[in-house]
Amino acid sequence: MNARPERIPIPSAQRWENFRERVLPAICLAATLAACGWLWQQQGRVAPFVHGEVGAEIVDVRSPVDGRLEAIEGQPNGQWPLFAPISSGAMAARVEQAIGKDSSVDLPAPIDGVVTKVSGLPGQWIGRGETILQIASSKPTFITCHVPDNGSKPPEPGTMVAVRLRGGGNRWAAAEIEGIGPIVASATIYDGTSGGATTRGLPVRITLPTDLPLKPGTLVDVRFPPGTPM
């Protein structure tokens, strides 16, 4: 009876070559699919965030009557200069009423702030409802941001969010959503590379954290609760 032929051993280099060409690609594919599935499940648990801007109250001082602007005592050229600080109750403008009326109307500043727009000069005729000055508060009062309008239900007023100054190393502070605008509006993209590009979304007004050094115009990051549709 013939003896069974002896098997020729496969070199280890050839075994590794076979494993690398036949088995390893299948393992990598399975691992990739598993990782994609895990990331898909975790997507709803990530806390999304958007960029926002600190805002302040801005009011227009308008003439309640037809008349002529009078000079304001103590001010250069009889008018408030641009970017001049102004206190609430200070004389912002005075209008001499039209012919037939012998009195002037004093218009006090409604808030503390800074003059950001001058629309009338002493001696100039101005109509009822026209803007004479614009005053912006120097104190921040709220934060605005925009959430994408993707058909999902937007966050509701009263939802707690986190706010921080732009930058990865800054700490987060708690804030609350005050309201959601009903109309989709344009918003500037503050990513540092878009060159003033805009996007569209629902405007969100957020309370101001008391423990962050914010001022009007400051850019912030706003983090929403995990699972918020974005």
Side-chain angles (χ1 to χ4, degrees):
M1 186 174 181
N2 295 331
R4 188 175 181 179
E6 183 179 355
R7 296 182 60 183
I8 300 176
I10 300 176
S12 57
Q14 183 63 42
R15 290 179 182 274
W16 167 246
E17 185 72 18
N18 293 340
F19 176 82
R20 189 178 63 179
E21 293 180 355
R22 301 176 183 178
V23 181
L24 188 59
I27 294 176
C28 292
L29 177 60
T32 301
L33 293 176
C36 290
W38 182 82
L39 290 174
W40 182 267
Q41 292 179 347
Q42 296 298 314
Q43 184 178 11
R45 303 178 185 177
V46 176
F49 74 91
V50 298
H51 302 313
E53 183 175 358
V54 179
E57 185 179 7
I58 299 176
V59 297
D60 291 333
V61 178
R62 300 177 182 271
S63 176
V65 296
D66 296 328
R68 193 179 305 276
L69 287 176
E70 296 185 3
I72 302 298
E73 296 181 3
Q75 296 301 324
N77 301 319
Q79 67 175 11
W80 286 92
L82 195 63
F83 303 136
I86 187 171
S87 300
S88 176
M91 182 71 67
R94 174 176 291 164
V95 181
E96 179 186 1
Q97 297 192 66
I99 298 176
K101 300 179 181 179
D102 57 358
S103 62
S104 297
V105 177
D106 294 338
L107 303 176
I111 61 172
D112 294 329
V114 176
V115 176
T116 55
K117 183 178 181 181
V118 179
S119 302
L121 302 175
Q124 176 181 330
W125 179 268
I126 192 165
R128 180 194 300 266
E130 291 188 32
T131 299
I132 303 172
L133 293 178
Q134 185 180 80
I135 302 174
S137 174
S138 55
K139 298 179 180 179
T141 53
F142 58 88
I143 295 172
T144 55
C145 65
H146 290 72
V147 295
D149 178 39
N150 53 14
S152 302
K153 183 179 179 181
E156 298 181 352
T159 301
M160 298 302 297
V161 297
V163 176
R164 72 177 180 186
L165 293 169
R166 293 289 305 275
N170 295 317
R171 63 183 179 86
W172 294 95
E176 182 180 346
I177 295 178
E178 286 186 325
I180 309 290
I183 301 175
V184 177
S186 297
T188 303
I189 301 175
Y190 300 111
D191 60 2
T193 61
S194 57
T198 60
T199 184
R200 296 184 65 79
L202 292 172
V204 180
R205 181 178 171 120
I206 300 170
T207 60
L208 200 70
T210 58
D211 53 348
L212 288 183
L214 302 176
K215 57 184 178 181
T218 300
L219 300 180
V220 296
D221 293 329
V222 180
R223 186 177 64 192
F224 289 82
T228 302
M230 287 289 178

